[in-house]
Amino acid sequence: MRKTRIMGTPVSHKIFDKAVDRAAVLLVFLLSLIPLAFKLLQEQFSVIIFNSDAVVSNIFFLFACAAGIITWRSGKHISLASLSDRLSPKAQTLTLQIRTGIESAVLTALFFASCSRVFSAFEPGSTVAGIPLAAVFSVLPLTYLALAVSLWLRKPLRASAFLGAAVGLVVSGGTLANAWYVLASSVPPVFDAVNARWCMFAGQATAPLILLLVASAFFGVPLFIVLSGVAYVAFSQGGGYVDVLPLESYQMLTDKTIAAIPLFTITGYVLSRGSAGRRLVDVFRACFGWFRGGAIVAVVVVATFFTTFTGVSGVTILALGSLLTVLLTGSGYPQDRARSLATASGAIGLLFPPSAAVIMYGSTNYFSVDIVALFKGALIPGCLLALGTIFVGFLFDKNAARPPFSAPEAFTALKNAAFEFLLPVFFCVGYFTGIFSLTESAAFAALYAIFLTAVVRRDFSGREALRVVLESIPVSGGVLFILASARGLSYFLMDANIPAQLSELVLRYVSSKYAFLLLLNFALIAVGCLMDTYSAILIVSPLVIAVAEPFGLSPVHTGVIFLMNMQLGFLTPPVGMDLFIASYTFNVPVFRVIRGVLPYLAVQFAVLLLVTYIPWFSTALQ
């Protein structure tokens, strides 16, 4: 992870940070309250609210911008494992200078590209809640500017940052020309000349530039910078239509279903920081701890429960890994095996409602698959993964001494955790019966979690609850910026007709459906290792759907295969993200973690093959 960014002078950056923090927390509560308030007013009091979805979507857009700044400041924007840690001090300094230059160049280019769209993206008079849409959109270039300024103010790296900014200015000739034309109805010739030279250079050096950006990801450059830079180069070599990137980011971040992702993430994070984890562990220990494998069932179910809400398996391992390990070792389970089981259980929840990964996949491919159908399709495969993980854990449970079952103890534990168990019930009933939309369900879940932990359980005071909400924002902020940047690259791939070309290429060399499915699994596991789930969904899943369709695969079956591979990628050596998170959480070498999870990885891969070759498992509930 990168180190904390400095936003300005000691006084000014504290004021700026505090303002952004307060705005972000306020926007979280608005996102939680307004969808439910609108629903109540419209259905119970027959109050007609125009553009209610647009109001919520644009509030979410503002939240995403604030979350991006907080995530950048916290050094938590998602990046690949950094190779620079293994270099000599001099080499580390050099790579840091290069990295800073790349980040500054891309952020500067994005700033000018989004500025040009402020003046031309919306019809005159377009408003939301009385506020001009152009004013709302203008927060995006200000966000990019804030991130870039944080680089320019770092004295040791200032020269690299300013050099990068100069490069960003040079490659922005086209967007500067567009903005100038809107304001003055003319374009200085220098802008067109600079833009023509840049587009020519980008066309001749497309491959080296993209390779440089991709390589930079392995030296700590955040993935959203890499994806944005690749998309910028791709559009430049095709004619310089780079101002489509900020518009695609805005459209992505105003999608009415995307707002559910941070709300569910906040729900899971708040619950994990409170007593919910301990209460659920107590229930499963009391109900199942008396027989062999009971503690294993408890660990897998609790880990799955939290990942369904956070949408990030690493958060579950970080927040609950130690607690789950103590539960297992207290039942006589070997410590290394306990750590391995907690790690292997972390990503299973990505297949169960209200998984953010399922929501994102359905939103990205809404012409091909429905979110509810995908939730149903992933249910049986998710259960098989959980059962397979429990089975392997069961084989390693050699302890014969177990506490006897106590009905009063089980009843007390169930009573103490009743409100926690009600949350997924309320979600399933509200969403799958159509009472709540996805965003309304997420808003209810977030309010429920905050009220439960702060008021009912009193795990936090009011001030502490606000701090926990603020701590949860970088978890979703990194994901949201990746979604925004990946949308532009996805747009280019579709515009360039890459899916059809890839489908034609695959059909030319692969004729067997079964051979295709095997190759697909290996390719997607590699993607799951190297890319985060959300950018993979935006960029890769449309390509997979296009290639799979000629082989007769249903969209739901394809989606389930895709998501299972992403889940498996988190555990796959040598670069599966959960392996490194577990190594950090348990303070053990990563190779020791890898050795421990291999049996679980093997059985989960067997389940993947079973679901891949027998479509019934993903289509039975349709």
Side-chain angles (χ1 to χ4, degrees), residues 50-359:
F50 296 101
N51 295 326
S52 58
D53 285 344
V55 172
V56 174
S57 296
N58 280 276
I59 290 174
F60 172 66
F61 170 75
L62 296 175
F63 165 77
C65 292
I69 294 174
I70 293 172
T71 307
W72 181 267
R73 185 187 73 210
S74 305
K76 294 182 178 178
H77 270 292
I78 299 171
S79 60
L80 299 179
S82 178
L83 299 179
S84 59
D85 296 337
R86 303 179 182 180
L87 301 177
S88 66
K90 288 185 177 180
Q92 286 186 18
T93 301
L94 177 61
T95 57
L96 184 59
Q97 296 282 357
I98 296 172
R99 192 176 81 183
T100 300
I102 292 173
E103 293 171 357
S104 181
V106 174
L107 288 171
T108 303
L110 291 174
F111 166 72
F112 285 115
S114 51
C115 278
S116 72
R117 275 299 188 176
V118 170
F119 305 110
S120 60
F122 306 99
E123 294 291 334
S126 298
T127 63
V128 58
I131 301 173
L133 281 174
V136 176
F137 181 82
S138 66
V139 176
L140 184 60
L142 293 176
T143 300
Y144 290 134
L145 181 62
L147 304 188
V149 167
S150 74
L151 295 174
W152 304 341
L153 293 175
R154 299 182 70 194
K155 290 183 179 179
L157 302 171
R158 187 169 291 174
S160 297
F162 281 127
L163 180 60
V167 172
L169 178 63
V170 168
V171 304
S172 300
T175 55
L176 288 171
N178 292 340
W180 198 283
Y181 181 80
V182 171
L183 294 174
S185 300
S186 63
V187 178
V190 65
F191 288 159
D192 284 334
V194 169
N195 185 54
R197 289 181 178 275
W198 158 242
C199 291
M200 182 184 301
F201 175 75
Q204 295 172 346
T206 301
L209 288 171
I210 290 177
L211 286 174
L212 172 64
L213 288 163
V214 172
S216 72
F218 292 93
F219 290 91
V221 174
L223 283 176
F224 88 89
I225 296 282
V226 175
L227 292 171
S228 296
V230 170
Y232 200 97
V233 171
F235 276 105
S236 295
Q237 62 84 32
Y241 305 109
V242 294
D243 54 352
V244 75
L245 296 177
L247 189 58
E248 287 298 310
S249 295
Y250 174 78
Q251 291 177 347
M252 180 81 256
L253 295 177
T254 52
D255 186 300
K256 64 180 182 180
T257 60
I258 302 303
I261 292 177
L263 290 174
F264 282 131
T265 300
I266 290 167
T267 299
Y269 191 90
V270 169
L271 291 174
S272 67
R273 288 296 306 272
S275 62
R278 177 179 54 79
R279 293 174 186 275
L280 293 174
V281 165
D282 289 344
V283 169
F284 286 100
R285 179 164 49 191
C287 294
F288 304 113
W290 56 274
F291 64 86
R292 181 182 174 186
I296 295 160
V297 173
V299 167
V300 174
V301 172
V302 171
T304 299
F305 172 85
F306 277 94
T307 303
T308 60
F309 282 95
T310 63
V312 184
S313 56
V315 171
T316 300
I317 296 171
L318 284 169
L320 299 178
S322 298
L323 174 64
L324 299 177
T325 301
V326 169
L327 166 63
L328 288 167
T329 55
S331 302
Y333 209 66
Q335 189 173 55
D336 278 353
R337 298 293 186 188
R339 293 166 177 162
S340 301
L341 179 60
T343 303
S345 305
I348 297 174
L350 295 178
L351 295 170
F352 291 96
S355 165
V358 175
I359 295 169

Side-chain angles (χ1 to χ4, degrees), residues 500-521:
Q501 296 176 31
L502 183 61
S503 178
E504 182 181 343
L505 181 66
V506 170
L507 289 172
R508 186 183 306 167
Y509 295 102
V510 181
S511 58
S512 168
K513 173 182 177 180
Y514 301 104
F516 165 73
L517 287 171
L518 185 62
L519 292 172
L520 178 65
N521 279 322

